[in-house]
Amino acid sequence: MTVKLYDMDSHLSEFSATVLSCENAVAVLDKTAFFPEGGGQTSDTGFIDGVKVLDVQIKDGVNYHYLEKDIETGKTVNCKIDWEERFRKMQNHSGEHIISGIVHSLYGYDNVGFHLSKTEMTMDFNGLLTRDDLLKIELLANKAVWENVKFNCYYPENLENLEYRSKLDLTEDVRIVEIEGYDRCACCAPHVNTSSEIGIIKILNFEKCKGGVRLWVKCGADALADYNLKYQNAIKISSLLCAEQDNIAEAVEKQLEIEGNLKYKITDLKRRLIAEKVNAFSGEGEITATFEADMDIKELQLYADSLYKKSGGIRAIFSGTENEYFFAIVGDEAPLQELFSKMKQSLNIRGGGRGSMVQGTVFASKADIVKIML
Ligand SMILES: [Zn+2]
């Protein structure tokens, strides 16, 4: 079995060890501070004698270090874990224990799912929590940080009489992580020594999940990075809208209202413009094709339909750029469908329609369209 240095000292980031074996770039050491993947947490990474450690797995008490290349068996090697990444995980994982302990004591729910990766931490509880509940839990969790309470990790002599979360069927080798006054839980991961190392605990989001609730939480360095990201966004929005940072939501609401009013005005103006065009239409010929700049499909439909209502025949309106036009064509069903069949035989058309209106996109030049239609 590998001696687990992380069990005894969670803050050990550099150590030397002897390589017991290394095959196909998988090394076993006599002792290690590299925490393996397990219990919802991804493994530590780092370097062994300058060779990158990509992953660490544990099986039957032996830690297997997956390396970028082989190292020499029998050699004493210098090992260095990626401390920034590890400490980040310790901050998050220890923060999770505080939240889970508080949720358990206030609501009696169990943590039934935990995931901690390089980018996010989630935790699932088997009962529902409201936004107000979460605000209360978050405040209590941060108070636990301010109180600078101790984390004690140990293997107890007498497990049977011990109350703890995540109670296991095992009777020995169960590692207990105790947060004075807040929680006692079975866990094999490295933790902070005292709660103040965690820094801020921030619940970012929650959603219902399998009859309970899933929380997205960031602690310490991750919470600070998240704050900075949101702060940068607030600065940018505040400057774009010339609004006080604390009032940017109101400023965005106001902006959306202005945008809504403008859209309404534009629609109204476009309708009036179409009405003018329809008025001016002299209605020559059974089939007409009109090309317009910058009309959307609804405007094309309205325009074609209004022309048809005024003068009958088959009225086609196109809008687009050279070789790609949106269109709407309105007419009596039989002659319209006959014309559209003819168009489809000769032109590349996407679209269709039954009855007295067809619409879609045609990939052809104005000259070719006119030649086929008229
Ligand atoms: Zn844990």
Side-chain angles (χ1 to χ4, degrees):
M1 283 222 236
T2 313
V3 175
K4 287 148 189 70
L5 300 171
Y6 50 81
D7 239 10
M8 298 162 232
D9 181 2
S10 63
H11 289 62
L12 182 71
S13 62
E14 286 188 60
F15 62 101
S16 54
T18 304
V19 183
L20 299 182
S21 70
C22 185
E23 271 177 48
N24 301 321
V26 181
V28 173
L29 309 176
D30 63 335
K31 53 183 178 289
T32 190
F34 284 95
F35 182 71
E37 182 183 352
Q41 181 171 330
T42 53
S43 83
D44 284 336
T45 58
F47 292 91
I48 296 178
D49 248 13
V51 177
K52 212 170 184 180
V53 179
L54 307 168
D55 186 22
V56 185
Q57 298 288 326
I58 190 166
K59 201 181 168 202
D60 300 326
V62 178
N63 292 44
Y64 296 90
H65 305 76
Y66 289 75
L67 309 176
E68 216 164 43
K69 60 178 187 180
D70 274 321
I71 51 173
E72 195 185 322
T73 301
K75 196 181 173 194
T76 300
V77 284
N78 293 316
C79 308
K80 198 173 174 183
I81 65 171
D82 181 336
W83 177 245
E84 202 176 303
E85 181 194 344
R86 154 70 86 76
F87 187 64
R88 222 199 92 244
K89 285 183 189 166
M90 283 174 20
Q91 286 182 313
N92 279 295
H93 198 145
S94 297
E96 179 268 314
H97 276 232
I98 290 181
I99 290 179
S100 295
I102 290 169
V103 168
H104 190 257
S105 70
L106 288 185
Y107 304 92
Y109 303 156
D110 292 316
N111 180 329
V112 290
F114 171 63
H115 172 71
L116 173 56
S117 71
K118 280 193 175 189
T119 51
E120 73 170 13
M121 173 166 73
T122 59
M123 55 190 89
D124 301 345
F125 293 101
N126 56 358
L128 291 175
L129 295 166
T130 64
R131 197 174 289 277
D132 283 344
D133 294 335
L134 293 170
L135 282 173
K136 182 170 151 188
I137 292 160
E138 184 182 271
L139 181 63
L140 287 171
N142 280 284
K143 279 184 175 169
V145 172
W146 306 335
E147 285 166 17
N148 199 23
V149 288
K150 266 196 175 151
F151 275 65
N152 300 313
C153 304
Y154 59 95
Y155 291 88
E157 295 281 307
N158 189 353
L159 256 179
E160 277 170 37
N161 300 325
L162 196 68
E163 278 295 315
Y164 63 96
R165 288 192 304 111
S166 304
K167 194 127 185 164
L168 303 169
D169 290 336
L170 301 172
T171 50
E172 52 189 43
D173 285 341
V174 173
R175 184 172 182 263
I176 295 292
V177 176
E178 195 171 277
I179 311 167
E180 283 176 7
Y182 285 93
D183 189 40
R184 195 186 291 126
C185 180
C187 178
C188 54
H191 282 271
V192 297
N193 289 335
T194 59
S195 62
S196 63
E197 287 180 73
I198 298 169
I200 193 164
I201 296 176
K202 184 69 197 159
I203 300 173
L204 296 172
N205 205 355
F206 73 107
E207 68 181 34
K208 284 180 187 171
C209 174
K210 295 173 195 162
V213 66
R214 171 168 293 176
L215 309 188
W216 279 262
V217 179
K218 285 190 192 291
C219 301
D222 285 353
L224 182 64
D226 187 67
Y227 183 97
N228 279 331
L229 177 72
K230 286 171 172 128
Y231 182 59
Q232 291 306 326
N233 278 326
I235 290 176
K236 203 168 171 185
I237 295 168
S238 143
S239 138
L240 285 170
L241 299 182
C242 299
E244 298 265 343
Q245 266 178 43
D246 288 350
N247 299 325
I248 53 174
E250 271 172 39
V252 170
E253 266 173 16
K254 204 169 149 192
Q255 206 57 41
L256 288 174
E257 198 185 313
I258 293 169
E259 191 186 310
N261 287 337
L262 283 174
K263 273 186 187 161
Y264 179 80
K265 274 186 190 164
I266 290 169
T267 306
D268 187 50
L269 282 172
K270 281 189 166 176
R271 277 174 186 276
R272 280 203 247 168
L273 184 67
I274 288 169
E276 295 280 334
K277 283 175 188 280
V278 172
N279 261 338
F281 183 72
S282 55
E284 294 300 318
E286 263 308 289
I287 301 173
T288 55
T290 308
F291 286 78
E292 291 285 348
D294 196 27
M295 275 196 181
D296 65 27
I297 190 68
K298 280 197 169 161
E299 288 153 23
L300 294 177
Q301 287 168 348
L302 174 68
Y303 193 2
D305 193 49
S306 305
L307 284 183
Y308 168 71
K309 278 179 181 147
K310 180 183 174 186
S311 61
I314 293 178
R315 304 297 166 222
I317 314 290
F318 296 85
S319 177
T321 52
E322 195 55 45
N323 291 321
E324 185 175 346
Y325 293 94
F326 297 114
F327 65 86
I329 312 174
V330 180
D332 289 340
E333 183 171 353
L336 172 68
Q337 293 299 340
E338 194 186 323
L339 172 71
F340 195 52
S341 296
K342 194 173 93 181
M343 288 172 71
K344 279 199 286 190
Q345 275 168 20
S346 311
L347 301 166
N348 179 10
I349 287 179
R350 218 164 40 207
R354 287 189 183 152
S356 60
M357 181 182 285
V358 293
Q359 61 201 12
T361 312
V362 53
F363 302 92
S365 70
K366 183 176 170 179
D368 285 345
I369 295 168
V370 170
K371 198 169 84 188
I372 298 296
M373 283 188 71
L374 306 181

